[in-house]
Amino acid sequence: MFRKGHMLRASSVLATAMWMLHAAQAAEPASGAAVDARADDAVQPGQPAGAGAPTMEEIVVTARRREEALQDVPITITALTAEALASQNVTSSIELSKSTPSLTVVRSAQGGNNTYVQLRGIGGSETLFGQDQTVGIYVNEVPQARQEGGNLQFFDLQNVQILYGPQGTLFGRNSVAGAIVYQTNRPTDKLEGSAEVELGNYATRWFTGMINVPVAQGLSIRGAVQIKRRHGFITEVNSGEDLGNQNSNSWRISVRAEPAEGIRNDLIISGFDSNETYLGGAVFGAKAISAPACSFSPLNPLASQANPACYYGPGAPFPAFLVAIGAMPPAVAAAYASYPSVATVIAQNNALGKKGIALTTVPVAKDRSFSITDILEVDLGSDLVMRGIFGYRDLKARSLQSGAGYALPVFDAAGGTDGDQYSGEVQLQGSLFANQLDFTAGAFYFQESGSNFSGARAFAFSTSQSFSPMSNGAVENKSTSLYAQTTFRPSGFDRFSLTTGLRYTWDRRQLTVTSGTYPVNGFELGTQTACSLINPAGGGTLPLASCSLSSAAKFDTPTWLVTADYKLFEDTLVYATYSRGYRSGGFNVRSIFQPNPFGPETVDNYEIGIKSTIRLGDVPLRLNADYWRFDYKNIQSVAVVAIPGTSPVQTTTDIVNSDTLKLEGAEVDISIEPARGLTLRGFLGYVSGHYPTFKAGGVTYTDVEYGASKISWGANLGYETDLGSIGRLNLSANYSRRTGSLNTVVPSAPQIRSETLGSANFRVGLSEIGGTGFSLAAFARNVGDAFKAIPVPGTNLVTGGTAVNYTEPTYYGVDIGFKF
């Protein structure tokens, strides 16, 4: 399973953990009493002097689709409660990276609320319907297939769970790297509510509110809302517009019905909309890419796309070529020829830095989603529970990007997404043989339909010129799966358990693609005026009247999980796992020729770990550590391919299955409570990877470095104490840091490595002021990492640089709240 080198690294991680454990066990009181994991213990009259010692909070997770204590689950998990998220100033998905090892969540090139998620070095940058994510995103147990709207807003949230490694059984397809599971608060039988206003710099005005009402016996309703407004932090100097603003509304209504004993139904309806300016993908170049002299060929212009010398600057031949084929007036080409080089414009924008950016147009992103979730749970008796989970999500997103600020649009991009998804799942859970065997079995169905359009406006005559070529792909994706997972505890071996799981998935995908020239009215497509699809029968492009190509493909595969765990001590668990994950094959929705399907990806994960909650005298300590290794096969990568039927041969980009990637790493997470009310936490993630071989541009490379961020670590401090009639004092500080990564997910030259990022958050709060429900807090977020240019993953532009975003500035302000 592990080679010698892997075993040595694994041994070093776990040996360190075991040494700490041994030392702590030696220091424990001889009584050997089990540690009470509850956080709300209090000293009772007559108790002995150590009874008031601090206790470690018990965290409940649903990683195995049932409620279990975090430390009893043989899976590597980072679980963050709502209280922990608030104290660490984590207010959305993008900020999760600052509290989680080996996780990167950043804005994608398609907008401020679209995310790129990478876990343990594996992530995908596309948001298109033809290709799925590598990290499963689940909201209240329903998969969220698309990344649009993926920057979830954290309001009235119960917890967030990050599950590491392929989730081959219970969370199924497209979770080759892991899954992020969000659980919102459900209605209760108490009348309660809260309101919070956040005010800060950049004219920040946030409002968050919640009310929970028990309507009748067995019926409760809960409503929550969050409104965010904030000015941008970088000015677009040509228009004076602020970039990076916030303008979003989120809401949720939940209804819990318990019509009879043993029956519970949760209905959750939610919505989100935003209309914001943003930076992701809008600016060229964290630094200029040097280029050789242009060897542009008018017969094959696409072959020279990677060389910016062919596009801009005095004498650049691309505008001249457009003149030669009648696609550009000579006067416009002369204007482009007089522009400075791309490297000069990039340098000018970098010099402006936080003061401003020069763009041709103001980039804007609009996102809207609406979802319905229904979860029915029926207790059948005899330790059997049936669960039904239904989900629906409707999605619409639009984005307009802009390149460096010339008078005419050298490179603008527009994109859009319209789609909806349905999913249904039936589960049966229970225990057999006097609770020696726990099982979960189920069936899952998923259907998604929608369309993506995207295109560029390059060397345009004016800012109102059409986008061409514009691709428009309509898809229908269906997936069906059956799964079962069991945990067996042999009689007489209570400390040992064996978990096995199997899932079989059937996927079907259909694509119809069109491509050509479309007028764009704001964010909407007009009627197509020209076709650029290659005629499969030869003879150039298809006629406009029949400008479409269709394909369909089917994929099916098993995935599985085998985990053995053993309790060395009462509160110390060791485990070993072998699991396989699967990412469905699909289509390139931007294809300009007959779409060819690319195949599924698979990841084999080998992992060993330890979880322990122990005491150093009266001080509780939680230690979780693991070592893992991935074999990542048939990777879905963007590659340059020949266009069928062209003579001389022309090239374009397509999605193909490339070589194997070897990844390995470790995570360590330690929490300690040295005194009641004082909590310290530290975490570390390590990822290292390489391609044994990689084929690119007809050349085979060996032992190519994989560019994921290698090291991520952080430390948190929290303190809470009762000040009597004044209220409760809450203090928190946290710092996180991660090393830079390459801007592309496959080896290509040249590449740009992002900077190492490190930032701190601080919060000082007073709650229950004067014995009331009022609270007041002051905060500072992102101290130390303001305005750093970072490449947008997966963008290596033909324009002489890579698309970049900027880290946000330091925010500071106050929170004013009330609860009842």
Side-chain angles (χ1 to χ4, degrees):
M1 184 179 294
F2 295 100
R3 296 199 301 265
K4 182 178 180 181
H6 301 135
M7 284 300 298
L8 290 174
R9 285 185 283 270
S11 299
S12 65
V13 173
L14 294 189
T16 301
M18 292 298 293
W19 176 84
M20 296 177 65
L21 173 64
H22 175 74
Q25 291 287 339
E28 278 196 63
S31 66
V35 177
D36 191 339
R38 291 174 297 173
D40 55 355
D41 289 347
V43 184
Q44 299 298 325
Q47 284 186 318
T55 57
M56 189 70 67
E57 178 186 8
E58 180 181 89
I59 299 176
V60 176
V61 297
T62 54
R64 296 198 289 190
R65 309 300 291 270
R66 63 179 74 202
E67 292 188 349
E68 299 175 285
L70 170 68
Q71 296 302 95
D72 293 336
V73 181
I75 300 174
T76 301
I77 307 170
T78 294
L80 299 168
T81 63
E83 293 76 13
L85 293 168
S87 69
Q88 297 170 33
N89 286 288
V90 177
T91 60
S92 67
S93 298
I94 286 178
E95 294 163 345
L96 273 179
S97 305
K98 297 182 178 182
S99 293
T100 308
S102 305
L103 173 69
T104 300
V105 184
V106 297
R107 290 179 174 86
S108 75
Q110 283 72 38
N113 287 296
N114 296 347
T115 54
Y116 168 90
V117 182
Q118 187 183 76
L119 186 59
R120 285 184 171 176
I122 296 180
S125 59
E126 290 282 19
T127 65
L128 306 179
F129 282 107
Q131 189 176 30
D132 293 321
Q133 302 179 75
T134 58
V135 179
I137 306 298
Y138 287 78
V139 180
N140 294 321
E141 301 191 66
V142 173
Q144 186 169 293
R146 297 297 124 202
Q147 294 163 294
E148 287 88 352
N151 186 27
L152 299 176
Q153 310 303 298
F154 290 178
F155 67 104
D156 201 30
L157 193 67
Q158 185 181 98
N159 61 52
V160 180
Q161 303 165 45
I162 295 90
L163 316 183
Y164 293 81
Q167 305 299 307
T169 305
L170 299 180
F171 290 98
R173 68 192 281 271
N174 303 327
S175 297
V176 293
I180 302 179
V181 180
Y182 300 89
Q183 293 282 2
T184 63
N185 282 322
R186 308 295 170 80
T188 68
D189 59 359
K190 297 179 180 179
L191 177 63
E192 56 183 343
S194 64
E196 181 180 334
V197 175
E198 179 175 305
L199 304 173
N201 58 338
Y202 296 95
T204 298
R205 295 100 63 211
W206 290 5
F207 172 78
T208 305
M210 179 277 296
I211 187 161
N212 186 95
V213 180
V215 177
Q217 182 69 32
L219 180 64
S220 299
I221 298 177
R222 189 181 189 95
V225 63
Q226 186 173 73
I227 300 170
K228 289 187 173 183
R229 300 290 186 269
R230 190 189 67 206
H231 289 175
F233 54 90
I234 292 181
T235 301
E236 198 289 299
V237 297
N238 293 320
S239 65
E241 292 275 353
D242 288 333
L243 304 181
N245 72 330
Q246 281 189 331
N247 180 21
S248 65
N249 305 302
S250 308
W251 59 270
R252 185 187 309 120
I253 298 174
S254 306
V255 180
R256 168 164 286 186
E258 297 175 284
E261 185 176 355
I263 300 177
R264 185 176 68 195
N265 189 87
D266 287 333
L267 175 66
I268 307 164
I269 305 173
S270 63
F272 171 80
D273 69 85
S274 68
N275 183 358
E276 302 174 345
T277 61
Y278 73 104
L279 286 168
V283 187
F284 292 167
K287 58 184 177 183
I289 296 177
S290 59
C294 179
S295 57
F296 182 82
S297 169
L299 297 177
N300 188 7
L302 294 175
S304 301
Q305 278 191 341
N307 186 353
C310 293
Y311 288 80
Y312 310 122
F318 198 86
F321 166 72
L322 296 177
V323 172
I325 64 173
M328 177 180 284
V332 177
Y336 279 112
S338 67
Y339 287 167
S341 68
V342 173
T344 300
V345 176
I346 290 172
Q348 291 171 348
N349 267 340
N350 285 337
L352 286 170
K354 63 182 180 181
K355 298 176 184 178
I357 297 294
L359 304 174
T360 302
T361 55
V362 175
V364 180
K366 297 181 180 181
D367 296 279
R368 188 196 69 200
S369 64
F370 172 78
S371 64
I372 301 174
T373 299
D374 191 81
I375 303 174
L376 172 66
E377 187 170 304
V378 180
D379 188 344
L380 302 177
S382 301
D383 293 322
L384 291 177
V385 175
M386 185 192 73
R387 305 178 75 237
I389 304 166
F390 167 81
Y392 167 76
R393 186 178 188 230
D394 179 78
L395 177 68
K396 185 172 185 176
R398 296 289 185 268
S399 67
L400 175 63
Q401 305 171 44
S402 178
Y406 295 104
L408 295 175
V410 176
F411 184 85
D412 288 346
T417 297
D418 290 283
D420 52 41
Q421 67 169 63
Y422 301 84
S423 63
E425 187 169 2
V426 177
Q427 286 180 358
L428 184 65
Q429 297 180 350
S431 298
L432 300 172
F433 312 122
N435 295 325
Q436 286 184 248
L437 181 72
D438 295 335
F439 70 89
T440 299
F444 174 79
Y445 177 77
F446 173 86
Q447 178 176 319
E448 177 183 50
S449 59
S451 62
N452 292 113
F453 72 81
S454 60
R457 179 169 55 196
F459 298 99
F461 306 161
S462 71
T463 55
S464 62
Q465 184 173 325
S466 297
F467 284 71
S468 179
M470 180 77 75
S471 63
N472 188 19
V475 301
E476 184 171 305
N477 302 324
K478 295 181 180 180
S479 181
T480 305
S481 57
L482 301 173
Y483 63 88
Q485 182 166 304
T486 64
T487 298
F488 177 60
R489 304 174 191 87
S491 177
F493 297 90
D494 294 341
R495 292 180 178 269
F496 174 79
S497 66
L498 179 67
T499 300
T500 58
L502 178 66
R503 187 182 192 111
Y504 206 97
T505 302
W506 296 266
D507 281 311
R508 177 177 173 81
R509 311 191 79 128
Q510 294 177 285
L511 168 69
T512 299
V513 62
T514 61
S515 183
T517 300
Y518 293 80
V520 178
N521 179 17
F523 289 94
E524 304 298 328
L525 284 179
T527 303
Q528 186 177 3
T529 59
C531 183
S532 59
L533 293 179
I534 302 299
N535 190 340
T541 59
L542 289 168
L544 181 59
S546 56
C547 187
S548 67
L549 294 171
S550 299
S551 288
K554 295 180 180 180
F555 313 97
D556 64 276
T557 190
T559 52
W560 55 79
L561 166 79
V562 179
T563 298
D565 65 84
Y566 183 77
K567 280 203 169 185
L568 292 175
F569 309 103
E570 181 66 25
D571 293 299
T572 300
L573 181 76
V574 293
Y575 59 93
T577 295
Y578 167 51
S579 59
R580 168 167 286 190
Y582 155 81
R583 183 188 188 193
S584 173
F587 290 99
N588 175 17
V589 301
R590 296 192 181 108
S591 180
I592 62 172
F593 52 86
Q594 183 66 45
N596 297 316
F598 51 83
E601 298 176 341
T602 60
V603 170
D604 287 318
N605 173 47
Y606 308 92
E607 184 168 349
I608 52 179
I610 182 171
K611 293 186 173 185
S612 185
T613 304
I614 56 179
R615 282 190 178 274
L616 303 172
D618 282 339
V619 176
L621 179 145
R622 179 184 293 140
L623 168 65
N624 295 340
D626 64 84
Y627 168 81
W628 55 271
R629 175 174 170 251
F630 283 172
D631 286 340
Y632 187 17
K633 301 175 183 177
N634 298 317
I635 303 168
Q636 297 166 9
S637 302
V638 177
V640 177
V641 299
I643 299 176
T646 57
S647 181
V649 175
Q650 297 184 25
T651 58
T652 187
T653 58
D654 201 6
I655 301 174
V656 301
N657 294 99
S658 65
D659 299 77
T660 296
L661 174 63
K662 304 287 187 179
L663 286 163
E664 64 176 340
E667 288 90 27
V668 179
D669 199 322
I670 302 175
S671 296
I672 187 170
E673 294 190 15
R676 181 168 287 274
L678 176 62
T679 303
L680 305 175
R681 175 185 176 232
F683 62 84
L684 171 69
Y686 173 76
V687 176
S688 179
H690 72 283
Y691 297 91
T693 62
F694 195 91
K695 300 180 181 66
V699 178
T700 299
Y701 301 89
T702 59
D703 199 25
V704 176
E705 176 193 9
Y706 184 66
S709 178
K710 281 194 173 183
I711 298 175
S712 56
W713 64 272
N716 306 325
L717 178 150
Y719 179 68
E720 181 177 348
T721 188
D722 192 342
L723 299 181
S725 60
I726 298 175
R728 294 191 65 82
L729 177 66
N730 301 273
L731 306 174
S732 66
N734 53 83
Y735 179 82
S736 64
R737 189 175 182 88
R738 70 173 185 265
T739 56
S741 60
L742 296 178
N743 68 302
T744 53
V745 294
V746 295
S748 62
Q751 297 188 74
I752 293 177
R753 184 177 292 276
S754 62
E755 297 182 61
T756 294
L757 300 177
S759 64
N761 298 325
F762 303 94
R763 187 179 183 88
V764 179
L766 190 64
S767 60
E768 302 175 19
I769 298 174
T772 69
F774 285 99
S775 62
L776 178 66
F779 66 87
R781 289 196 285 262
N782 199 40
V783 179
D785 251 349
F787 301 112
K788 286 190 176 180
I790 53 174
V792 175
T795 59
N796 205 343
L797 300 180
V798 302
T799 51
T802 188
V804 302
N805 203 339
Y806 283 81
T807 59
E808 296 193 344
T810 297
Y811 294 118
Y812 54 85
V814 296
D815 286 333
I816 305 168
F818 178 74
K819 292 182 179 180
F820 67 90

